[in-house]
């Protein structure tokens, strides 16, 4: 299990952005983390992946544990090595490198022999990337770049995958496609923490969901219960 407990995070030593966040991603599950802009979702992911320091943030209280072992003192490469992969917001691919080079970069910390297996897995999961393996990543469509960003994170065979807004800026059909791929990746055994503004998409595949508001978890329920919740329906799903 990936467990975040009572986490407090500050930026620049002053701005308290997470105010005691507790959440769990049990093995095998898809867990959704919802919340408005600025609620602190990306900060939760940075705290898990060891990337807070890059953004002048730090953990002032609480812990992040992976199968019981604390990982909150590890730097980003060690978190990846421990089995947590991540796709940052904005699907940052290396535009001037080819599709295959992007995937190879993702595998540079993987053990020898894993590269071939990783490429095979990603190209099977995303045939469109196999077709474009020698094309520059910058020329891919937004949806294809998102697939490449996810594929790159899969190259280290993470047990847990953190996805930051994978549907952002994509057309509805592509959102559907990414959704189906997340389900498939999960069925292959990868546990997923899915940060999304698209609550309908996220809750349609998650088993459990959390709602973050202003640095605090204000709801913590099975996804089905969140879909039924009146506030969620009104504020996150646009239904009444
Ligand atoms: P979004 O969906 O807009 O990305 P979010 O829920 O992911 O929002 P965060 O990006 O975690 O929210 O930001 C939470 C708060 O922390 C915001 O008020 C933001 O302005 C602030 N923040 C983020 N990064 C920094 C930083 N490096 N220094 C100072 N404040 C920051």
């Amino acid at each position: 299990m990936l467990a975040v407990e009572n986490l407090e995070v500050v930026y620049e030593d002053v701005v308290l952005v997470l105010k005691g966040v507790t959440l769990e991603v049990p093995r095998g599950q898809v867990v959704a983390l919802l919340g408005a802009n600025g609620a602190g979702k990306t900060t939760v992911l940075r705290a898990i992946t060891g990337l807070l320091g890059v953004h002048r943030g730090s953990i002032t209280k609480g812990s992040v544990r992976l199968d019981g072992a604390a990982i909150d003192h590890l730097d980003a490469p060690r978190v990846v090595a421990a089995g947590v992969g991540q796709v940052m917001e904005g699907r940052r691919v290396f535009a001037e490198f080819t599709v295959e080079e992007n995937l190879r970069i993702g595998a540079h910390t993987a053990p020898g022999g894993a590269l071939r297996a990783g490429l095979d897995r990603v190209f099977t999961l995303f045939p469109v990337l196999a077709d474009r393996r020698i094309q520059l990543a910058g020329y891919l469509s937004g949806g294809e770049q998102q697939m490449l960003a996810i594929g790159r994170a899969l190259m280290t065979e993470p047990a847990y995958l953190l996805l930051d807004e994978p549907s952002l800026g994509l057309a509805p059909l592509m959102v559907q496609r990414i959704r189906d791929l997340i389900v498939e990746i999960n069925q292959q055994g990868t546990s997923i923490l899915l940060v999304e503004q698209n609550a309908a998409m996220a809750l349609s595949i998650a088993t459990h969901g959390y709602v973050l508001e202003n640095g605090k978890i204000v709801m913590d329920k099975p996804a089905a219960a969140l879909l039924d919740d009146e506030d969620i329906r009104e504020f996150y799903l646009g239904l009444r």
Side-chain angles (χ1 to χ4, degrees):
M1 179 190 307
L2 178 64
V4 170
E5 207 181 301
N6 198 24
L7 200 67
E8 275 188 16
V9 167
V10 297
Y11 284 113
E12 312 271 355
D13 292 331
V14 282
V15 197
L16 182 64
V17 168
L18 299 186
K19 304 164 184 169
V21 168
T22 297
L23 61 84
E24 291 178 349
V25 185
R27 280 228 177 219
Q29 293 199 10
V30 178
V31 171
L33 178 59
L34 311 175
N37 276 335
K41 306 180 297 297
T42 299
T43 302
V44 171
L45 298 189
R46 286 176 185 163
I48 296 172
T49 54
L51 283 172
L52 269 179
V54 181
H55 300 274
R56 300 182 56 84
S58 52
I59 295 174
T60 48
K61 207 169 154 189
S63 66
V64 182
R65 291 180 179 277
L66 186 63
D67 300 330
I71 59 165
D72 39 70
H73 58 289
L74 302 182
D75 59 18
R78 288 197 173 82
V79 174
V80 172
V84 182
Q86 64 142 345
V87 180
M88 287 177 293
E89 199 174 0
R91 62 187 91 98
R92 300 199 190 111
V93 300
F94 299 104
E96 66 286 12
F97 288 91
T98 68
V99 166
E100 181 163 331
E101 284 165 348
N102 268 270
L103 295 174
R104 286 175 178 271
I105 292 165
H108 80 282
T109 57
L115 176 66
R116 192 71 256 159
L119 286 174
D120 284 349
R121 179 186 181 195
V122 172
F123 287 147
T124 306
L125 204 53
F126 309 103
V128 66
L129 297 182
D131 295 344
R132 286 161 206 223
R133 64 201 300 161
I134 57 166
Q135 190 173 316
L136 294 186
Y139 293 128
L140 298 178
S141 74
E144 290 161 355
Q145 288 191 18
Q146 185 60 266
M147 289 182 201
L148 181 56
I150 295 172
R152 193 175 59 199
L154 289 176
M155 290 296 288
T156 53
E157 303 229 11
Y160 295 87
L161 183 62
L162 315 181
L163 297 173
D164 198 354
E165 309 243 10
S167 78
L168 193 70
L170 301 182
L173 259 180
M174 190 49 86
V175 172
Q176 184 65 31
R177 180 101 185 77
I178 295 287
R179 174 201 177 280
D180 293 346
L181 285 163
I182 295 170
V183 170
E184 200 173 334
I185 291 164
N186 175 244
Q187 282 169 350
Q188 290 177 356
T190 309
S191 315
I192 291 172
L193 178 58
L194 176 59
V195 165
E196 261 300 338
Q197 299 231 12
N198 186 336
M201 186 273 247
L203 294 176
S204 75
I205 54 176
T207 35
H208 201 90
Y210 295 88
V211 178
L212 190 62
E213 256 176 43
N214 220 344
K216 288 188 179 150
I217 299 288
V218 293
M219 277 192 218
D220 166 0
K221 290 184 181 179
L226 284 176
L227 279 168
D228 276 346
D229 185 279
E230 263 186 30
D231 287 343
I232 294 286
R233 291 175 71 78
E234 183 171 348
F235 297 116
Y236 289 93
L237 301 171
L239 306 167
R240 291 196 62 116

